[in-house]
Structures are given as C-alpha cells and as structure tokens.
Amino acid sequence: MTNQAISSYREQDSFERFREGFPALREQTYLSICEKSILHDDVRKSVDSYLDRMALATADRAGHEEKVFGCREKFARLMNVDAATIAAIRNVSDGINSVAWAMPMAEGDNVVVSADAEHPNNVYPWLRLRRRGNEVRSITPRPDGSLDIEAMIDAIDDHTKILSCATVTFAPGHRTDIARLGEACRKRDVFLLADGVQSAGILAHDLSSDPIDGLATSTSKGLLGIYGFGFLYISPKWIDRLEPAYLSRPAVLMQSDDHSTMGNYDYELQPDSRRFELGSHNLAGAYAMDASLKLLLDLGIGAIEERVLPLARALKEGAAAHGLAPAVPSEGPGHSHIVTFGAIDAGGHGFSSDPMIGPISEHLAKAKVAHTIRRGQLRLAVHAFNNEDDIEHAVACVGEAINSL
Ligand SMILES: Cc1ncc(COP(=O)(O)O)c(C=O)c1O
C-alpha cells in the first residue's frame, strides 16, 4: 500500500468508528443534519456527567467554567482563530441580534440582506432595526434560490454598516461565495456577518483568513450538540467598535476573582468577544460541545469536508440518474453537503405542491430515511457519520418512488 492509500484507509476507519457512536444510525438512515443534530455516545455521556453533578450537588463553578473555556477554545481551533474572539452564546438569533444592536448606526444607515433566501432568524433581527430608523435593503435572490452576490454588492453604499448572509442557505443549500462578498465589504468598511449554522462542523472555515467579520452559530446541527447553546465569533478588528446592548458580569473585565462584588460602579468591557456573553451559561450545552468538538477536531474539519462533499455529489448524481435533478448542481461553487430537489417555493415548511416531492418523501419516510421538506423542496444533508451505504439506500428509495409514480 502507498502512504497515501494507508492514510486514506486510516481516515475511512476513523469515520466508521465515529459512525458507530451514534445510536440513531442503528435505527435509520439519517440524512437530516440540516434540520437537527443527533447525539454521539460521548456527547450524551458528557451531558449526563453534568446532570449527575447537579443531581448529586457535586457541581462547582470551576468545573463548569472549565467546560465553557474548553469548548470555546475548541470551537476557536475548529475555526482557526484565537479563543478570545469567541463568545459562548445561545443560538444564531442571539448572535445576530447582538451584532445588530452593538453596531453604532445612525438614522438612515442600512443593512444589506437577502430576506427571501435567509432563515427568518436572519431576517427579523434586521426588520426590528427599522424602528431605530435604519433601512433594510433586501436583495431578491436569483431564480434558482441562490444569493445574488453581485446585486448585494451593488446595494452597498456609504450608509451600509452590515451585510448579513448564510454561509450555506437552509434551502436550496447553496454555499455562499464569502470571498467575493467579503472583498467588497472590506473595501467599504462594511461588517460581513455570517449565519454559519448550516456549515459549522461540516465545511471548513478559516476565520483567520476568510473575510468574515462576525459568525453566529447554534450547536444544534453540524456541531452535533444540543439546542440553546451557540458561538459568536467577532473579528478583533471590530471589537472596539461594538458595544453590546445588554450587559452583565461575564461581559465586564473583572478587577479581582471575587465574582460577587462589584467594587465601585465603574466598569470596563471585556477587551474581546466575551463582552457578548450574558449571565449564566447553558452548561448542558457547553458539556455537549466540549465532547462533540473533541470528536470533530480528531477527525479534522478538512477531512470532514472532503468526506461529505463527494457523498453529497453521489446522492445528487444517483438521484439525477433516476430523473430527479438536484436544485444545486454538484459541480461549481454552490455545491455543499445539503442536497435538495424540486422547484423552489413550490410549497413551504413540510409540504410541497411539486407532484414528485410528496410521494418521494413518503417513500423515504417508510424506508426510514430521515429528511425534510423546506421551501417546498425535498431536503437531505450529509455529515461525517454518513457513508456510501446511506447514499445508496437513499438513491434506491428515490428510484423506487419514481418508478411507482
Ligand atoms: C440558516 C439557519 N439559520 C438559523 C437557524 C436557526 O436559528 P436559531 O439558532 O436562532 O434557532 C436555522 C435553523 O434551521 C437555519 O437553518
């Protein structure tokens, strides 16, 4: 065996071992990571250890903080940045609202977003700013549902403060050309805010070089954690320009280790992203993340991306061979781990008026292939725990469904 063959064999082996840790995969073919995570045994054990400590009153602050610091540091490593740039928050909504209200904006300043292509949690925070006298410039997506990057760039003017977009849209699942958007934002001193929930833990990000100024994510999808915990990355270049709307102890520079005293009422904000942390953390979420990030880092985010993209391509090509064309072509920059079929917006959340989609979805459900319907499209997605058998099974079900129409 050549060295390359040996290392790819080892890699395959570590993915198979990783897969074995997910009890859900013994029951079903899980192709729905874009909807919600499933738990690895190590993650569950870590959360259980937290619950045991609470139940037996053996929990202490230092032990909890170790997990919060630990997962912050591991998420930073996953994103190739310093831990000080990461805040432990609740979810995408928390991160986006935090930036929206921390950014100094005068009346008439604007935000650029493509509301029809984004999850509502990356739209409502901006609509709320209208009451402050800010304008929301919503750019119509292309007919295939992808972001119209050039139109978004053209919408930037001297009053634009923030451009917000998903790294991968929840449907149809195009990967966003962050490099192009970021380049334009940097030229105009516009803050590029990314909703990273669909890509974090699955596709590689290098925030030390990607032109992203802020990234918000929940841990309830590709990061393989639980609901109600998330991360916010803020570039050190921006931190001094952002003043959080809310404030409590974690966001303030402590003069001493005495957490219950305040000293005089003068305070200084944390010099880094911790200024966005608020009150007590969701510790169950932190315990989960500490374990799942260890697993993801052991596999390596580059190797995960290299594993999932060909599997997603095989799913697209297999379905296409049965006459079901993917909504996002498998060649080209838009290709991601999310695979969708059917006309965009021919229906909504959980239903489709596309006559092919309902019967295929029913067939997949009977064959225990977890999937969703979003924006009227049939939606599946791949993570590092999926393998070639999962893809073959899903493709065979699609074929059977089409033949029975
Ligand atoms: C692109 C995208 N953003 C945000 C969310 C959820 O937002 P939050 O983490 O605030 O619940 C989802 C969930 O489906 C999503 O797909």
Side-chain angles (χ1 to χ4, degrees):
M1 251 198 245
T2 62
N3 282 349
Q4 204 184 352
I6 292 170
S7 83
S8 107
Y9 175 78
R10 285 208 187 114
E11 219 162 63
Q12 185 83 10
D13 194 41
S14 52
F15 282 116
E16 281 306 317
R17 261 185 282 120
F18 176 63
R19 177 181 173 89
E20 281 163 17
F22 291 89
L25 302 180
R26 287 168 222 145
E27 309 292 326
Q28 57 180 300
T29 300
Y30 195 78
L31 286 167
S32 206
I33 196 63
C34 49
E35 181 197 10
K36 59 178 182 287
S37 64
I38 50 174
L39 293 193
H40 188 284
D41 288 336
D42 289 3
V43 176
R44 191 185 182 129
K45 262 187 231 145
S46 187
V47 177
D48 280 348
S49 79
Y50 164 67
L51 296 177
D52 288 343
R53 286 179 201 200
M54 292 300 288
L56 302 172
T58 55
D60 64 355
R61 188 167 58 82
H64 291 335
E65 282 183 352
E66 196 184 299
K67 294 292 175 188
V68 176
F69 293 164
C71 73
R72 218 198 261 122
E73 188 275 323
K74 290 186 182 76
F75 181 73
R77 238 186 310 142
L78 190 81
M79 296 285 162
N80 197 27
V81 284
D82 197 275
T85 63
I86 307 296
I89 58 164
R90 282 179 290 177
N91 45 38
V92 171
S93 309
D94 188 7
I96 290 180
N97 276 283
S98 292
V99 172
W101 290 90
M103 180 66 69
M105 286 176 80
E107 216 177 311
D109 284 345
N110 68 67
V111 173
V112 173
V113 65
S114 186
D116 291 347
E118 297 292 336
H119 188 279
N121 293 356
N122 187 18
V123 180
Y124 284 116
W126 308 119
L127 298 181
R128 177 72 179 80
L129 292 189
R130 286 174 168 171
R131 287 177 60 184
R132 199 171 71 176
N134 301 131
E135 183 194 348
V136 180
R137 297 195 166 170
S138 180
I139 308 307
T140 308
R142 292 176 189 279
D144 67 358
S146 62
L147 297 180
D148 190 337
I149 300 288
E150 295 308 320
M152 291 178 84
I153 292 171
D154 287 347
I156 295 175
D157 68 9
D158 290 347
H159 291 281
T160 306
K161 298 293 170 207
I162 300 172
L163 187 148
S164 188
C165 66
T167 51
V168 171
T169 59
F170 73 98
H174 289 92
R175 191 173 190 170
T176 302
D177 185 352
I178 289 288
R180 175 79 187 102
L181 273 180
E183 180 197 27
C185 286
R186 294 238 155 132
K187 276 192 197 142
R188 306 292 293 265
D189 196 34
V190 171
F191 188 97
L192 176 59
L193 178 59
D195 170 350
V197 73
Q198 289 294 357
S199 60
I202 304 177
L203 303 180
H205 288 288
D206 181 349
L207 296 180
S208 69
S209 59
D210 293 348
I212 290 178
D213 300 305
L215 181 140
T217 185
S218 304
T219 60
S220 51
K221 298 186 196 285
L223 288 172
L224 303 174
I226 60 178
Y227 288 102
F229 192 68
F231 296 106
L232 176 65
Y233 159 80
I234 299 288
S235 158
K237 286 191 212 125
W238 280 87
I239 198 74
D240 287 334
R241 291 161 74 177
L242 301 178
E243 185 153 349
Y246 292 140
L247 193 63
S248 65
R249 184 178 49 69
V252 172
L253 200 57
M254 293 297 293
Q255 305 300 340
S256 78
D257 198 36
D258 182 348
H259 282 242
S260 56
T261 59
M262 288 195 58
N264 60 29
Y265 293 122
D266 290 336
Y267 67 86
E268 244 181 273
L269 287 176
Q270 293 275 15
D272 51 40
S273 295
R274 278 172 304 166
R275 65 178 56 185
F276 288 103
E277 296 193 353
L278 202 61
S280 306
H281 289 106
N282 168 1
L283 291 169
Y287 273 69
M289 261 308 96
D290 197 54
S292 72
L293 283 166
K294 180 171 183 329
L295 292 163
L296 295 171
L297 288 167
D298 284 351
L299 289 171
I301 193 67
I304 294 174
E305 174 167 329
E306 278 173 30
R307 175 99 181 114
V308 300
L309 290 181
L311 288 175
R313 183 168 294 121
L315 180 51
K316 288 180 182 181
E317 289 172 358
H322 289 296
L324 188 65
V328 181
S330 57
E331 297 308 327
H335 176 62
S336 76
H337 63 293
I338 298 183
V339 178
T340 45
F341 302 101
I344 185 86
D345 291 333
H349 189 105
F351 65 99
S352 180
S353 55
D354 184 325
M356 301 271 273
I357 297 307
I360 297 175
S361 171
E362 277 171 33
H363 212 88
L364 288 170
K366 272 194 206 129
K368 294 192 174 173
V369 179
H371 65 283
T372 44
I373 295 177
R374 290 291 182 273
R375 300 188 70 186
Q377 294 183 313
L378 182 78
R379 184 180 72 157
L380 303 112
V382 179
H383 203 332
F385 49 69
N386 291 117
N387 65 12
E388 289 74 8
D389 294 346
D390 292 343
I391 305 301
E392 266 173 41
H393 181 50
V395 168
C397 290
V398 166
E400 281 163 25
I402 289 174
N403 289 337
S404 68
L405 284 178

mmCIF file of all heavy atoms in Angstrom, residues 96 110-127 130 135-141 147-148 151-153 155-156 160 162-166 181 193 195:
data_model
loop_
_atom_site.group_PDB
_atom_site.id
_atom_site.type_symbol
_atom_site.label_atom_id
_atom_site.label_comp_id
_atom_site.label_asym_id
_atom_site.label_seq_id
_atom_site.Cartn_x
_atom_site.Cartn_y
_atom_site.Cartn_z
ATOM 1 N N ILE A 96 -26.920 37.225 16.047
ATOM 2 C CA ILE A 96 -27.258 38.251 15.051
ATOM 3 C C ILE A 96 -27.840 39.484 15.734
ATOM 4 O O ILE A 96 -27.456 40.613 15.435
ATOM 5 C CB ILE A 96 -28.216 37.661 13.987
ATOM 6 C CG1 ILE A 96 -27.425 36.651 13.135
ATOM 7 C CG2 ILE A 96 -28.817 38.764 13.109
ATOM 8 C CD1 ILE A 96 -28.217 35.970 12.050
ATOM 9 N N ASN A 110 -27.943 51.624 6.727
ATOM 10 C CA ASN A 110 -28.670 50.446 6.247
ATOM 11 C C ASN A 110 -27.918 49.145 6.414
ATOM 12 O O ASN A 110 -26.697 49.126 6.670
ATOM 13 C CB ASN A 110 -29.095 50.644 4.786
ATOM 14 C CG ASN A 110 -27.911 50.669 3.838
ATOM 15 O OD1 ASN A 110 -27.229 49.668 3.645
ATOM 16 N ND2 ASN A 110 -27.628 51.843 3.252
ATOM 17 N N VAL A 111 -28.687 48.065 6.259
ATOM 18 C CA VAL A 111 -28.179 46.693 6.325
ATOM 19 C C VAL A 111 -28.589 46.019 5.023
ATOM 20 O O VAL A 111 -29.720 46.187 4.573
ATOM 21 C CB VAL A 111 -28.839 45.946 7.506
ATOM 22 C CG1 VAL A 111 -28.460 44.478 7.503
ATOM 23 C CG2 VAL A 111 -28.479 46.596 8.820
ATOM 24 N N VAL A 112 -27.674 45.240 4.430
ATOM 25 C CA VAL A 112 -27.996 44.507 3.203
ATOM 26 C C VAL A 112 -28.172 43.034 3.543
ATOM 27 O O VAL A 112 -27.316 42.428 4.217
ATOM 28 C CB VAL A 112 -26.882 44.685 2.140
ATOM 29 C CG1 VAL A 112 -27.142 43.793 0.926
ATOM 30 C CG2 VAL A 112 -26.777 46.154 1.719
ATOM 31 N N VAL A 113 -29.274 42.454 3.095
ATOM 32 C CA VAL A 113 -29.582 41.051 3.375
ATOM 33 C C VAL A 113 -30.463 40.556 2.221
ATOM 34 O O VAL A 113 -31.033 41.368 1.487
ATOM 35 C CB VAL A 113 -30.287 40.934 4.761
ATOM 36 C CG1 VAL A 113 -31.643 41.613 4.765
ATOM 37 C CG2 VAL A 113 -30.410 39.505 5.233
ATOM 38 N N SER A 114 -30.547 39.253 2.058
ATOM 39 C CA SER A 114 -31.423 38.725 1.011
ATOM 40 C C SER A 114 -32.525 37.944 1.725
ATOM 41 O O SER A 114 -32.464 36.724 1.877
ATOM 42 C CB SER A 114 -30.605 37.819 0.080
ATOM 43 O OG SER A 114 -31.391 37.409 -0.999
ATOM 44 N N ALA A 115 -33.553 38.709 2.176
ATOM 45 C CA ALA A 115 -34.536 38.138 3.107
ATOM 46 C C ALA A 115 -35.190 36.863 2.571
ATOM 47 O O ALA A 115 -35.430 35.917 3.327
ATOM 48 C CB ALA A 115 -35.598 39.178 3.450
ATOM 49 N N ASP A 116 -35.462 36.813 1.260
ATOM 50 C CA ASP A 116 -36.170 35.643 0.718
ATOM 51 C C ASP A 116 -35.298 34.390 0.687
ATOM 52 O O ASP A 116 -35.817 33.286 0.492
ATOM 53 C CB ASP A 116 -36.696 35.936 -0.698
ATOM 54 C CG ASP A 116 -37.828 36.954 -0.665
ATOM 55 O OD1 ASP A 116 -38.343 37.214 0.439
ATOM 56 O OD2 ASP A 116 -38.173 37.496 -1.727
ATOM 57 N N ALA A 117 -33.992 34.548 0.859
ATOM 58 C CA ALA A 117 -33.108 33.376 0.819
ATOM 59 C C ALA A 117 -32.656 32.951 2.216
ATOM 60 O O ALA A 117 -32.025 31.917 2.374
ATOM 61 C CB ALA A 117 -31.868 33.688 -0.029
ATOM 62 N N GLU A 118 -32.972 33.765 3.218
ATOM 63 C CA GLU A 118 -32.435 33.509 4.563
ATOM 64 C C GLU A 118 -33.464 32.865 5.481
ATOM 65 O O GLU A 118 -34.670 33.026 5.282
ATOM 66 C CB GLU A 118 -31.957 34.828 5.198
ATOM 67 C CG GLU A 118 -30.796 35.504 4.461
ATOM 68 C CD GLU A 118 -29.485 34.727 4.554
ATOM 69 O OE1 GLU A 118 -29.311 33.952 5.511
ATOM 70 O OE2 GLU A 118 -28.638 34.883 3.659
ATOM 71 N N HIS A 119 -32.968 32.205 6.504
ATOM 72 C CA HIS A 119 -33.834 31.724 7.585
ATOM 73 C C HIS A 119 -34.436 32.954 8.283
ATOM 74 O O HIS A 119 -33.750 33.977 8.426
ATOM 75 C CB HIS A 119 -32.985 30.903 8.559
ATOM 76 C CG HIS A 119 -33.783 30.210 9.607
ATOM 77 N ND1 HIS A 119 -34.227 30.852 10.740
ATOM 78 C CD2 HIS A 119 -34.226 28.932 9.689
ATOM 79 C CE1 HIS A 119 -34.910 29.985 11.480
ATOM 80 N NE2 HIS A 119 -34.932 28.819 10.867
ATOM 81 N N PRO A 120 -35.690 32.873 8.736
ATOM 82 C CA PRO A 120 -36.306 34.039 9.398
ATOM 83 C C PRO A 120 -35.456 34.609 10.546
ATOM 84 O O PRO A 120 -35.532 35.817 10.821
ATOM 85 C CB PRO A 120 -37.624 33.478 9.927
ATOM 86 C CG PRO A 120 -37.931 32.288 9.059
ATOM 87 C CD PRO A 120 -36.620 31.731 8.602
ATOM 88 N N ASN A 121 -34.633 33.765 11.172
ATOM 89 C CA ASN A 121 -33.833 34.281 12.291
ATOM 90 C C ASN A 121 -32.661 35.148 11.835
ATOM 91 O O ASN A 121 -31.961 35.736 12.658
ATOM 92 C CB ASN A 121 -33.337 33.129 13.175
ATOM 93 C CG ASN A 121 -34.496 32.463 13.887
ATOM 94 O OD1 ASN A 121 -35.639 32.916 13.776
ATOM 95 N ND2 ASN A 121 -34.232 31.381 14.604
ATOM 96 N N ASN A 122 -32.458 35.201 10.535
ATOM 97 C CA ASN A 122 -31.510 36.171 9.981
ATOM 98 C C ASN A 122 -32.262 37.253 9.198
ATOM 99 O O ASN A 122 -31.704 37.901 8.343
ATOM 100 C CB ASN A 122 -30.487 35.467 9.077
ATOM 101 C CG ASN A 122 -29.376 36.403 8.620
ATOM 102 O OD1 ASN A 122 -29.159 37.467 9.213
ATOM 103 N ND2 ASN A 122 -28.679 36.034 7.552
ATOM 104 N N VAL A 123 -33.535 37.426 9.528
ATOM 105 C CA VAL A 123 -34.325 38.478 8.880
ATOM 106 C C VAL A 123 -34.994 39.362 9.941
ATOM 107 O O VAL A 123 -34.832 40.583 9.946
ATOM 108 C CB VAL A 123 -35.397 37.889 7.924
ATOM 109 C CG1 VAL A 123 -36.193 39.017 7.273
ATOM 110 C CG2 VAL A 123 -34.747 37.003 6.856
ATOM 111 N N TYR A 124 -35.702 38.717 10.890
ATOM 112 C CA TYR A 124 -36.396 39.527 11.906
ATOM 113 C C TYR A 124 -35.467 40.484 12.667
ATOM 114 O O TYR A 124 -35.861 41.623 12.939
ATOM 115 C CB TYR A 124 -37.145 38.630 12.901
ATOM 116 C CG TYR A 124 -38.419 38.066 12.318
ATOM 117 C CD1 TYR A 124 -38.571 36.707 12.130
ATOM 118 C CD2 TYR A 124 -39.473 38.904 11.947
ATOM 119 C CE1 TYR A 124 -39.735 36.180 11.583
ATOM 120 C CE2 TYR A 124 -40.642 38.391 11.400
ATOM 121 C CZ TYR A 124 -40.762 37.038 11.225
ATOM 122 O OH TYR A 124 -41.906 36.536 10.674
ATOM 123 N N PRO A 125 -34.247 40.046 13.031
ATOM 124 C CA PRO A 125 -33.393 40.997 13.761
ATOM 125 C C PRO A 125 -33.171 42.291 12.982
ATOM 126 O O PRO A 125 -33.065 43.377 13.572
ATOM 127 C CB PRO A 125 -32.067 40.241 13.925
ATOM 128 C CG PRO A 125 -32.436 38.798 13.854
ATOM 129 C CD PRO A 125 -33.599 38.730 12.891
ATOM 130 N N TRP A 126 -33.131 42.174 11.653
ATOM 131 C CA TRP A 126 -32.896 43.378 10.830
ATOM 132 C C TRP A 126 -34.173 44.191 10.696
ATOM 133 O O TRP A 126 -34.137 45.428 10.730
ATOM 134 C CB TRP A 126 -32.339 42.973 9.458
ATOM 135 C CG TRP A 126 -31.153 42.073 9.612
ATOM 136 C CD1 TRP A 126 -31.016 40.793 9.176
ATOM 137 C CD2 TRP A 126 -29.944 42.381 10.327
ATOM 138 N NE1 TRP A 126 -29.805 40.279 9.560
ATOM 139 C CE2 TRP A 126 -29.122 41.226 10.269
ATOM 140 C CE3 TRP A 126 -29.465 43.498 11.015
ATOM 141 C CZ2 TRP A 126 -27.859 41.162 10.860
ATOM 142 C CZ3 TRP A 126 -28.210 43.441 11.607
ATOM 143 C CH2 TRP A 126 -27.427 42.289 11.530
ATOM 144 N N LEU A 127 -35.316 43.520 10.554
ATOM 145 C CA LEU A 127 -36.586 44.256 10.447
ATOM 146 C C LEU A 127 -36.808 45.102 11.704
ATOM 147 O O LEU A 127 -37.326 46.214 11.653
ATOM 148 C CB LEU A 127 -37.747 43.282 10.247
ATOM 149 C CG LEU A 127 -37.688 42.431 8.961
ATOM 150 C CD1 LEU A 127 -38.919 41.530 8.867
ATOM 151 C CD2 LEU A 127 -37.579 43.318 7.722
ATOM 152 N N ARG A 130 -35.671 48.714 11.852
ATOM 153 C CA ARG A 130 -36.410 49.797 11.170
ATOM 154 C C ARG A 130 -36.955 50.808 12.178
ATOM 155 O O ARG A 130 -37.047 51.984 11.889
ATOM 156 C CB ARG A 130 -37.584 49.214 10.379
ATOM 157 C CG ARG A 130 -37.143 48.511 9.116
ATOM 158 C CD ARG A 130 -38.333 47.847 8.502
ATOM 159 N NE ARG A 130 -38.061 47.393 7.163
ATOM 160 C CZ ARG A 130 -38.886 46.626 6.458
ATOM 161 N NH1 ARG A 130 -40.029 46.250 6.980
ATOM 162 N NH2 ARG A 130 -38.580 46.238 5.262
ATOM 163 N N GLU A 135 -32.517 51.336 7.517
ATOM 164 C CA GLU A 135 -33.144 50.760 6.318
ATOM 165 C C GLU A 135 -32.663 49.324 6.136
ATOM 166 O O GLU A 135 -31.487 49.025 6.369
ATOM 167 C CB GLU A 135 -32.715 51.595 5.104
ATOM 168 C CG GLU A 135 -33.339 51.175 3.804
ATOM 169 C CD GLU A 135 -32.632 51.791 2.588
ATOM 170 O OE1 GLU A 135 -31.817 52.715 2.762
ATOM 171 O OE2 GLU A 135 -32.893 51.304 1.483
ATOM 172 N N VAL A 136 -33.584 48.439 5.744
ATOM 173 C CA VAL A 136 -33.197 47.059 5.413
ATOM 174 C C VAL A 136 -33.267 46.928 3.897
ATOM 175 O O VAL A 136 -34.341 47.058 3.306
ATOM 176 C CB VAL A 136 -34.132 46.031 6.088
ATOM 177 C CG1 VAL A 136 -33.717 44.609 5.724
ATOM 178 C CG2 VAL A 136 -34.124 46.216 7.600
ATOM 179 N N ARG A 137 -32.117 46.706 3.276
ATOM 180 C CA ARG A 137 -32.081 46.536 1.814
ATOM 181 C C ARG A 137 -32.116 45.051 1.513
ATOM 182 O O ARG A 137 -31.107 44.371 1.649
ATOM 183 C CB ARG A 137 -30.810 47.154 1.244
ATOM 184 C CG ARG A 137 -30.760 48.632 1.487
ATOM 185 C CD ARG A 137 -29.726 49.323 0.652
ATOM 186 N NE ARG A 137 -29.984 50.752 0.718
ATOM 187 C CZ ARG A 137 -29.177 51.673 0.259
ATOM 188 N NH1 ARG A 137 -28.038 51.326 -0.319
ATOM 189 N NH2 ARG A 137 -29.497 52.947 0.363
ATOM 190 N N SER A 138 -33.300 44.576 1.166
ATOM 191 C CA SER A 138 -33.433 43.143 0.917
ATOM 192 C C SER A 138 -33.301 42.883 -0.581
ATOM 193 O O SER A 138 -34.062 43.411 -1.385
ATOM 194 C CB SER A 138 -34.774 42.632 1.435
ATOM 195 O OG SER A 138 -34.836 41.251 1.170
ATOM 196 N N ILE A 139 -32.330 42.073 -0.925
ATOM 197 C CA ILE A 139 -32.000 41.827 -2.334
ATOM 198 C C ILE A 139 -32.632 40.513 -2.792
ATOM 199 O O ILE A 139 -32.436 39.471 -2.156
ATOM 200 C CB ILE A 139 -30.458 41.771 -2.522
ATOM 201 C CG1 ILE A 139 -29.813 43.023 -1.911
ATOM 202 C CG2 ILE A 139 -30.102 41.588 -3.995
ATOM 203 C CD1 ILE A 139 -30.387 44.353 -2.387
ATOM 204 N N THR A 140 -33.371 40.586 -3.884
ATOM 205 C CA THR A 140 -34.054 39.393 -4.410
ATOM 206 C C THR A 140 -33.023 38.333 -4.808
ATOM 207 O O THR A 140 -32.063 38.645 -5.513
ATOM 208 C CB THR A 140 -34.879 39.782 -5.660
ATOM 209 O OG1 THR A 140 -35.692 40.892 -5.286
ATOM 210 C CG2 THR A 140 -35.756 38.643 -6.142
ATOM 211 N N PRO A 141 -33.234 37.079 -4.361
ATOM 212 C CA PRO A 141 -32.306 36.026 -4.788
ATOM 213 C C PRO A 141 -32.461 35.726 -6.274
ATOM 214 O O PRO A 141 -33.420 36.176 -6.914
ATOM 215 C CB PRO A 141 -32.717 34.810 -3.956
ATOM 216 C CG PRO A 141 -33.832 35.237 -3.085
ATOM 217 C CD PRO A 141 -34.290 36.587 -3.482
ATOM 218 N N LEU A 147 -28.121 33.277 -3.474
ATOM 219 C CA LEU A 147 -27.930 34.712 -3.234
ATOM 220 C C LEU A 147 -27.414 35.372 -4.507
ATOM 221 O O LEU A 147 -26.529 34.815 -5.177
ATOM 222 C CB LEU A 147 -26.896 34.924 -2.112
ATOM 223 C CG LEU A 147 -27.245 34.393 -0.732
ATOM 224 C CD1 LEU A 147 -26.105 34.682 0.240
ATOM 225 C CD2 LEU A 147 -28.528 35.032 -0.221
ATOM 226 N N ASP A 148 -27.940 36.542 -4.809
ATOM 227 C CA ASP A 148 -27.430 37.306 -5.953
ATOM 228 C C ASP A 148 -26.301 38.197 -5.426
ATOM 229 O O ASP A 148 -26.516 39.346 -5.024
ATOM 230 C CB ASP A 148 -28.573 38.130 -6.566
ATOM 231 C CG ASP A 148 -28.168 38.742 -7.891
ATOM 232 O OD1 ASP A 148 -26.947 38.903 -8.127
ATOM 233 O OD2 ASP A 148 -29.061 39.054 -8.689
ATOM 234 N N ALA A 151 -25.672 41.654 -6.989
ATOM 235 C CA ALA A 151 -26.723 42.632 -6.648
ATOM 236 C C ALA A 151 -26.574 43.072 -5.187
ATOM 237 O O ALA A 151 -26.826 44.245 -4.857
ATOM 238 C CB ALA A 151 -28.102 42.029 -6.888
ATOM 239 N N MET A 152 -26.161 42.149 -4.317
ATOM 240 C CA MET A 152 -25.958 42.527 -2.914
ATOM 241 C C MET A 152 -24.813 43.539 -2.807
ATOM 242 O O MET A 152 -24.901 44.534 -2.082
ATOM 243 C CB MET A 152 -25.657 41.290 -2.054
ATOM 244 C CG MET A 152 -26.861 40.366 -1.910
ATOM 245 S SD MET A 152 -26.524 38.876 -0.950
ATOM 246 C CE MET A 152 -26.747 39.477 0.727
ATOM 247 N N ILE A 153 -23.765 43.287 -3.575
ATOM 248 C CA ILE A 153 -22.618 44.210 -3.545
ATOM 249 C C ILE A 153 -23.038 45.578 -4.103
ATOM 250 O O ILE A 153 -22.693 46.619 -3.537
ATOM 251 C CB ILE A 153 -21.430 43.603 -4.326
ATOM 252 C CG1 ILE A 153 -20.898 42.386 -3.556
ATOM 253 C CG2 ILE A 153 -20.338 44.635 -4.565
ATOM 254 C CD1 ILE A 153 -19.871 41.558 -4.292
ATOM 255 N N ALA A 155 -25.791 46.919 -3.875
ATOM 256 C CA ALA A 155 -26.691 47.617 -2.931
ATOM 257 C C ALA A 155 -25.925 48.338 -1.821
ATOM 258 O O ALA A 155 -26.498 49.148 -1.087
ATOM 259 C CB ALA A 155 -27.659 46.609 -2.311
ATOM 260 N N ILE A 156 -24.638 48.024 -1.689
ATOM 261 C CA ILE A 156 -23.841 48.674 -0.633
ATOM 262 C C ILE A 156 -23.597 50.140 -1.009
ATOM 263 O O ILE A 156 -23.243 50.443 -2.139
ATOM 264 C CB ILE A 156 -22.472 47.949 -0.472
ATOM 265 C CG1 ILE A 156 -22.681 46.519 0.025
ATOM 266 C CG2 ILE A 156 -21.539 48.726 0.445
ATOM 267 C CD1 ILE A 156 -21.401 45.686 0.090
ATOM 268 N N THR A 160 -24.133 51.869 4.350
ATOM 269 C CA THR A 160 -24.279 50.444 4.697
ATOM 270 C C THR A 160 -23.304 50.112 5.821
ATOM 271 O O THR A 160 -22.111 50.389 5.724
ATOM 272 C CB THR A 160 -23.990 49.557 3.466
ATOM 273 O OG1 THR A 160 -24.826 49.987 2.399
ATOM 274 C CG2 THR A 160 -24.245 48.092 3.786
ATOM 275 N N ILE A 162 -23.780 46.870 7.709
ATOM 276 C CA ILE A 162 -23.688 45.414 7.876
ATOM 277 C C ILE A 162 -24.236 44.735 6.625
ATOM 278 O O ILE A 162 -25.239 45.193 6.047
ATOM 279 C CB ILE A 162 -24.532 44.945 9.096
ATOM 280 C CG1 ILE A 162 -24.038 45.609 10.386
ATOM 281 C CG2 ILE A 162 -24.487 43.418 9.242
ATOM 282 C CD1 ILE A 162 -24.924 45.354 11.611
ATOM 283 N N LEU A 163 -23.586 43.660 6.214
ATOM 284 C CA LEU A 163 -24.162 42.755 5.205
ATOM 285 C C LEU A 163 -24.242 41.386 5.877
ATOM 286 O O LEU A 163 -23.257 40.904 6.435
ATOM 287 C CB LEU A 163 -23.289 42.710 3.952
ATOM 288 C CG LEU A 163 -23.872 41.929 2.768
ATOM 289 C CD1 LEU A 163 -23.415 42.539 1.437
ATOM 290 C CD2 LEU A 163 -23.482 40.460 2.811
ATOM 291 N N SER A 164 -25.443 40.813 5.857
ATOM 292 C CA SER A 164 -25.636 39.554 6.585
ATOM 293 C C SER A 164 -26.082 38.448 5.631
ATOM 294 O O SER A 164 -26.970 38.657 4.803
ATOM 295 C CB SER A 164 -26.695 39.768 7.675
ATOM 296 O OG SER A 164 -26.768 38.624 8.491
ATOM 297 N N CYS A 165 -25.450 37.277 5.753
ATOM 298 C CA CYS A 165 -25.824 36.159 4.858
ATOM 299 C C CYS A 165 -25.477 34.828 5.512
ATOM 300 O O CYS A 165 -24.632 34.759 6.405
ATOM 301 C CB CYS A 165 -25.080 36.274 3.531
ATOM 302 S SG CYS A 165 -23.320 36.061 3.713
ATOM 303 N N ALA A 166 -26.129 33.782 5.029
ATOM 304 C CA ALA A 166 -25.798 32.427 5.493
ATOM 305 C C ALA A 166 -24.563 31.929 4.748
ATOM 306 O O ALA A 166 -24.378 32.245 3.569
ATOM 307 C CB ALA A 166 -26.977 31.493 5.208
ATOM 308 N N LEU A 181 -18.013 38.370 -1.482
ATOM 309 C CA LEU A 181 -18.770 39.319 -0.652
ATOM 310 C C LEU A 181 -17.842 40.046 0.319
ATOM 311 O O LEU A 181 -17.942 41.259 0.518
ATOM 312 C CB LEU A 181 -19.822 38.568 0.173
ATOM 313 C CG LEU A 181 -21.187 38.313 -0.452
ATOM 314 C CD1 LEU A 181 -22.063 37.561 0.534
ATOM 315 C CD2 LEU A 181 -21.862 39.634 -0.850
ATOM 316 N N LEU A 193 -21.446 39.763 8.291
ATOM 317 C CA LEU A 193 -21.921 38.866 9.340
ATOM 318 C C LEU A 193 -22.433 37.575 8.706
ATOM 319 O O LEU A 193 -23.287 37.622 7.809
ATOM 320 C CB LEU A 193 -23.049 39.552 10.128
ATOM 321 C CG LEU A 193 -23.690 38.735 11.250
ATOM 322 C CD1 LEU A 193 -22.657 38.319 12.303
ATOM 323 C CD2 LEU A 193 -24.802 39.549 11.924
ATOM 324 N N ASP A 195 -24.269 33.847 9.051
ATOM 325 C CA ASP A 195 -25.037 32.846 9.800
ATOM 326 C C ASP A 195 -24.406 31.511 9.412
ATOM 327 O O ASP A 195 -24.615 31.005 8.314
ATOM 328 C CB ASP A 195 -26.514 32.936 9.368
ATOM 329 C CG ASP A 195 -27.349 31.767 9.900
ATOM 330 O OD1 ASP A 195 -26.765 30.806 10.441
ATOM 331 O OD2 ASP A 195 -28.589 31.811 9.751
#
